[in-house]
Amino acid sequence: MWQDISALAERHRDRSILSLFDADPARFDHFSARAGGLLFDYSKTNICDEVRDALLALCDAAGLEQKREAMFTGAKINETEGRAVLHTALRNLSGDPVKVDGQDVMPGVLATLRRMEDFAEAVRTGDYHGAGGRISDVVNIGIGGSDLGPAMAELALKPYCDGPRCHFVSNVDGAHIHDVLKGLDPARTLVIVASKTFTTIETMTNAETARKWMAAKLDDPGAQFAALSSNAEKTAEWGIDPSRVFGFEDWVGGRYSMWGPIGLALMIAVGATDFRGFLAGGHAMDKHFREAPAAENLAVLLALTGIWHNQGLGYATRAVLPYEQRLARFPAYLQQMEMESNGKRVDMEGRDLTIDSGPVVWGEPGTNGQHAFYQLIHQGTRVVPCEFMLGAEGHEPDLAHQHDLLAANCLAQSEALLRGRSLKEATDIMAAKGLEGAELDRQARHRVFPGNRPSTTLLYTKLTPYVLGQLVALYEHRVFVEGVILGINSYDQWGVELGKELAVKLSPILAGKEGTEGKDGSTAGLVTALRASR
Ligand SMILES: O=P(O)(O)OC[C@H]1O[C@](O)(CO)[C@@H](O)[C@@H]1O
């Protein structure tokens, strides 16, 4: 199968995408798909019928349909941890049974959702309050999946945020928590400690700092703490009242957890109704992913486009470029979701992969990126497939003209990548400015755009809670499909462990309590230099 993809990639690598439009005037219709108000356009890639068929054959060969059902029905597809992968149950608003080990998990999921809603509404109305009155600020302390999702979504849904202000602290760098707590009133602050394991050193260190900050002013600082975790034993040890502990099961992976208790800060910010809207969008995308035929399935097509560009054509990165300032944290959120999931080197059986695993994912919102790294995207020697995202309308009707300009920029960028500018066109432009001879040629060559660079565009109506839910779930399923085709486990993350273990061992060495024996020359040298400059 992979040989077919390689052979096609060899054959089609340099063919003109524009010529594909010439050959098929309805190419846009043939190479785009719609679902629930979303439109995914992949016509500006060099995928043709033959390539698409070969990519779809990869899905069949990998047993995508069976594996998808296995995920949705609670099979333990995270084989290295012996866990089911059921974040979809957290947004299963139908309440239809979902079984793990023969037990329906839905009653528990829905009961926790209702508890979260009661608490969030109590915080918002003031029924639950701090020592100094109504809660004005919520500080979510967490990292990775216990931070990126709610932080990304709280920014994305700013127009819907009408509860207390929310802040997110993740970095163990004391500057982060210091800068967030500075200016907050401990008597009116709720601290949410978000950690699936409740052992993550960054989070527990920051939580301790927050507790001291509160204890300096309040008699009962614990009363203004809540915990989101799978580890009830540890939350109890830490002294958080069970009424403010919101638990979830081990079948919710950290980077897929914002749909449940990890979303509490978001729920407090936007309210229970909008949070349910977010869940409904995710649930609708689940239904689409589960039911739509592969050739019309947005998640499958998004994944296949990624596979074609990364494993087929060998483009090592992909840029995610939302033309929506409020999606500023979406690329960072996707970095964890995609790279922690599909950045693996062995298959399910532990054998070395014979193809590359997931790409480097990066990006920034347009139009800002245009004034930063787009130079490389247009004229650099490496091809970067670009994934544009654009809403049909913004939330500021009186600034609609700015939204039109934003949209024009987005479409212009994908057009420029496709079309490019030939040497002849560049020469004509420079000649019109009066240049001649060798200088004309030299100046023109700097103004050539190779073009024929692939991009996709995902259009949505407006960034509502529902649409955000659709988008996040779409990307989750894309990661699933890519992982299945690559034959890897997308739901473990062993690659983060070694650095954590070494950091624990380095702490006493840095503190001067232990020596640097056994350390490599560079690490020992850096420790010595750090100690000397303190
Ligand atoms: O929620 P926890 O257990 O604190 O973990 C935080 C993050 O750390 C990781 O385990 C990686 O270090 C992520 O997968 C996870 O989202």
Side-chain angles (χ1 to χ4, degrees), residues 143-146 195-197 200 203 254-255 336 340 493 496 500:
I143 196 164
S146 299
S195 174
K196 180 177 171 183
T197 55
T200 303
T203 300
R255 53 193 175 275
Q336 187 201 14
E340 198 165 82
Q493 57 282 320
V496 302
K500 286 186 195 171

Side-chain angles (χ1 to χ4, degrees), residues 2 5-6 8-10 12-13 46 55 304-318 355-360 381-385 454:
W2 286 110
I5 299 295
S6 303
L8 284 169
E10 250 351 275
H12 294 317
R13 175 177 304 278
N46 67 15
L55 291 166
L304 294 182
T305 311
I307 293 276
W308 174 242
H309 288 149
N310 182 25
Q311 285 78 16
L313 294 164
Y315 304 145
T317 83
R318 63 170 160 246
I355 37 161
D356 284 322
S357 59
V360 174
T381 52
R382 292 190 181 90
V383 174
V384 179

Side-chain angles (χ1 to χ4, degrees), residues 193-530:
V193 185
S195 174
K196 180 177 171 183
T197 55
F198 230 68
T199 56
T200 303
I201 190 125
E202 292 95 330
T203 300
M204 300 325 296
T205 307
N206 277 324
E208 205 51 68
T209 301
R211 183 154 65 179
K212 281 192 192 131
W213 170 77
M214 261 194 190
K217 293 272 162 57
L218 309 183
D219 295 337
D220 183 12
Q224 284 170 230
F225 272 76
L228 320 174
S229 182
S230 306
N231 194 339
E233 212 176 291
K234 289 266 178 221
T235 58
E237 236 172 65
W238 217 79
I240 299 183
D241 193 284
S243 65
R244 290 188 306 281
V245 175
F246 301 89
F248 51 102
E249 303 295 325
D250 69 359
W251 39 258
V252 181
R255 53 193 175 275
Y256 298 92
S257 61
M258 65 182 295
W259 309 95
I262 294 295
L264 182 64
L266 174 66
M267 190 192 267
I268 294 174
V270 300
T273 305
D274 282 334
F275 191 84
R276 279 206 180 227
F278 170 68
L279 297 184
H283 184 52
M285 184 51 68
D286 292 342
K287 217 168 135 43
H288 168 73
F289 176 52
R290 216 167 161 181
E291 292 171 5
E296 294 159 30
N297 194 306
L298 260 56
V300 174
L301 294 170
L302 191 56
L304 294 182
T305 311
I307 293 276
W308 174 242
H309 288 149
N310 182 25
Q311 285 78 16
L313 294 164
Y315 304 145
T317 83
R318 63 170 160 246
V320 180
L321 307 166
Y323 275 66
E324 174 97 42
Q325 182 58 27
R326 294 191 181 107
L327 285 179
R329 296 293 287 157
F330 198 68
Y333 175 69
L334 285 188
Q335 276 179 334
Q336 187 201 14
M337 189 210 285
E338 300 205 15
M339 291 163 78
E340 198 165 82
S341 297
N342 286 346
K344 307 288 163 66
R345 56 179 292 282
V346 295
D347 68 11
M348 277 290 199
E349 306 307 320
R351 295 172 299 219
D352 286 346
L353 287 186
T354 53
I355 37 161
D356 284 322
S357 59
V360 174
V361 177
W362 59 287
E364 276 288 319
T367 58
N368 296 20
Q370 292 174 203
H371 299 271
F373 52 79
Y374 277 42
Q375 165 64 41
L376 180 148
I377 288 178
H378 284 290
Q379 287 190 317
T381 52
R382 292 190 181 90
V383 174
V384 179
C386 292
E387 302 190 347
F388 295 98
M389 300 172 75
L390 176 66
E393 57 170 325
H395 285 82
E396 294 71 32
D398 48 336
L399 297 176
H401 63 292
Q402 294 202 207
H403 193 272
D404 287 348
L405 198 51
L406 179 78
N409 269 277
C410 180
L411 300 188
Q413 290 301 324
S414 66
E415 187 185 1
L417 285 166
L418 171 71
R419 193 168 289 285
R421 176 181 283 155
S422 68
L423 181 59
K424 159 100 180 56
E425 288 167 325
T427 304
D428 289 349
I429 291 169
M430 298 317 286
K433 292 187 192 287
L435 265 62
E436 293 178 343
E439 185 57 7
L440 170 61
D441 186 50
R442 187 168 79 89
Q443 292 292 348
R445 287 179 62 80
H446 285 275
R447 289 158 174 82
V448 169
F449 290 66
N452 211 31
R453 298 204 156 179
S455 70
T456 60
T457 302
L458 184 60
L459 288 187
Y460 50 89
T461 45
K462 185 174 175 177
L463 193 57
T464 60
Y466 184 89
V467 168
L468 183 68
Q470 288 179 300
L471 294 175
V472 175
L474 171 64
Y475 276 89
E476 286 178 350
H477 293 321
R478 177 228 206 138
V479 169
F480 172 81
V481 176
E482 290 196 6
V484 166
I485 291 175
L486 296 173
I488 60 182
N489 182 357
S490 300
Y491 300 101
D492 60 10
Q493 57 282 320
W494 299 109
V496 302
E497 295 304 325
L498 180 58
K500 286 186 195 171
E501 285 164 27
L502 292 176
V504 170
K505 289 186 186 147
L506 270 163
S507 287
I509 301 178
L510 271 168
K513 293 181 190 149
E514 290 176 23
T516 58
E517 302 77 35
K519 291 287 163 198
D520 63 85
S522 164
T523 308
L526 291 169
V527 167
T528 310
L530 272 172

